[in-house]
Every structure is written in structure tokens, then in C-alpha cells.
């Protein structure tokens, strides 16, 4: 099979589309983040990569807190909006209904079915970005999105970003059981 070298912009895809919430001064601000990942379980650390120019960054550093909110596909337009306009120019504090969790520092979005309340533990500086590492102090889910007490992706219906086609996607169909289906192959190669 012939391989063709392609653009680096499509390194990772699809990517999750999250909305990061933080307080800047007295107001909540929300920005869209696709450069986001879990990096450990115990402690529960996540990482979000933010360009240094964003309005959100000083808010995260000042409050030591931020939230990650998972929008459903029905929220694609407002998610895109939060990624198009900056809090420097537009007041995004009234775009969503806001709630606060245990620590009361990071604004979270009621309309998003799943929310992570995070405490900033480390900031890593790159040339153009800041990597914010947060400890998840609590996760919240809409009751309607739970199956047997755990968040059910089919019900959350999260939004994904497909960079090569610059499109938003929903998740696809169930393919198999993770950490299980590969066992059938062990010792056969
Ligand atoms: C789909 C999408 C994903 C984005 N992902 C990121 C990201 O991971 N990191 C980043 O720095 N900016 C990202 N952006 C851009 C910011 O969300 C955007 O510049 C926003 O206006 C910053 O808001 P603020 O200045 O109010 O903090 C993304 C934008 C969109 C539309």
C-alpha cells in the first residue's frame, strides 16, 4: 500500500469539543477547547492547551480553577460561537446558565450534560501555548444522561471536531468492548 505524506494539521482526529469555563475578574467566561485530554486517573488529572493570547488564561491563573463542560451535538452552534469570539470584546458570561460546584470557583454550564470541576495544579509554558493541568475535584452529570449510575455517551451525545474537513461530528456506533475484545487475539500472532 502506498503512503502519502499529508498535512500536520490533521495530526489527531476526531478531537473532543469542550467548553472551558473560568472567572475573569467578576465575570464568567467560556471558550471552546479541542486540545484537551485526560493524563492520569489517580490523581485525576486533565490537560488543556490554550494559546497565550486568550482572555481565559489570566482568569485560570488568578482563580486557580477552571471547568470543562461537554456540550451535546445540539449545542454545536453555541460551542462554535464560544470559539469564535473572545471575552476581550464580547461578554460571554450570560450565554449559559451557570452553576458552581464544591469549591465554588469555576463556573460550569447547566446546559452541558457533563461537567468537570478542576483545580489548577500546574501550568507548562510552550512557545505559543500554556498547558493547564487540572485536577478534577468533581464530575457532574445530568441525571437523564446516566445508565446504571454512570454517564452514558449515547445519552450525553458529545460533540467532536473533525479538523481535516473542518466539521463537527457526533460519536459513531458501538464497535466492541474496550480492554476486552483484544483478548481473543492474545497468543495468536
Ligand atoms: C472548535 C474549536 C476548538 C478550539 N480549540 C482550541 C484549543 O484547544 N485551544 C485554544 O487555545 N483555542 C482553541 N479554540 C479557539 C478559542 O476557543 C477562541 O480563540 C476563543 O475565542 C478564546 O476565548 P477567550 O479569548 O474568551 O478566552 C478553538 C475554537 C474552536 C471553534
Amino acid at each position: 500500500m502506498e503512503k502519502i505524506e499529508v498535512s500536520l494539521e490533521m495530526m489527531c482526529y476526531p478531537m473532543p469539543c469542550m467548553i472551558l469555563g473560568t472567572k475573569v475578574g467578576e465575570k464568567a467566561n467560556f471558550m471552546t477547547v479541542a486540545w484537551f485530554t485526560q493524563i492520569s486517573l489517580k490523581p485525576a488529572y486533565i490537560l488543556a492547551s490554550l494559546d497565550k493570547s486568550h482572555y481565559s488564561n489570566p482568569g485560570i491563573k488568578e482563580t486557580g480553577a477552571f471547568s470543562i463542560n461537554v456540550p451535546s451535538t445540539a449545542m454545536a452552534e453555541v460551542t462554535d460561537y464560544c470559539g469564535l469570539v473572545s471575552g476581550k470584546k464580547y461578554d460571554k458570561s450570560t450565554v449559559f446558565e451557570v452553576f458552581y460546584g464544591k469549591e465554588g470557583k469555576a463556573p460550569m454550564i447547566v446546559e452541558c450534560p457533563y461537567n468537570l470541576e478542576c483545580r489548577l495544579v500546574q501550568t507548562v509554558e510552550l512557545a505559543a501555548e500554556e498547558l493547564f493541568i487540572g485536577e478534577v475535584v468533581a464530575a457532574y452529570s445530568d441525571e437523564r444522561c446516566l445508565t446504571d449510575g454512570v454517564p452514558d455517551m449515547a445519552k450525553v451525545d458529545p460533540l467532536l471536531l473533525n479538523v481535516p474537513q473542518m466539521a463537527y461530528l457526533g460519536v459513531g456506533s458501538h464497535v466492541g468492548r474496550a480492554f476486552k475484545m483484544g483478548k481473543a487475539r492474545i497468543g495468536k500472532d
Side-chain angles (χ1 to χ4, degrees), residues 153-154 160 170-177:
M153 282 307 111
L160 305 175
V171 291
S173 53
H174 177 92
V175 173
R177 294 279 292 161

Side-chain angles (χ1 to χ4, degrees), residues 1 3-4 11 19 47 84 87 90 100 105 116 130 136-137 162 167 174 178 184 186:
M1 194 212 303
K3 289 279 188 185
I4 294 164
M11 269 190 289
I19 304 174
L47 180 152
L84 286 173
Y90 292 83
Y100 287 86
K105 288 184 176 175
L116 302 176
E130 287 175 309
V136 180
V137 292
N162 171 11
H174 177 92
I186 293 175

Side-chain angles (χ1 to χ4, degrees), residues 29 31-32 34-35 49-51 54-56 83 85-87 92 168:
N29 189 62
M31 67 163 280
T32 306
W35 292 347
S49 173
L50 269 57
D51 191 280
H54 295 323
Y55 185 67
S56 301
V85 304
S86 173
K92 293 185 263 183
Y168 291 111

Side-chain angles (χ1 to χ4, degrees), residues 52-110:
K52 285 179 183 170
S53 65
H54 295 323
Y55 185 67
S56 301
N57 301 33
I60 298 172
K61 287 188 252 182
E62 219 170 281
T63 60
F66 63 96
S67 70
I68 294 292
N69 305 272
V70 179
S72 62
T73 57
M75 296 175 68
E77 189 189 79
V78 73
T79 305
D80 201 51
Y81 169 76
C82 288
L84 286 173
V85 304
S86 173
K88 286 176 195 159
K89 204 168 166 194
Y90 292 83
D91 180 0
K92 293 185 263 183
S93 67
T94 55
V95 174
F96 304 105
E97 194 181 331
V98 167
F99 74 102
Y100 287 86
K102 288 182 181 176
E103 305 212 329
K105 288 184 176 175
M108 287 179 279
I109 301 174
V110 172

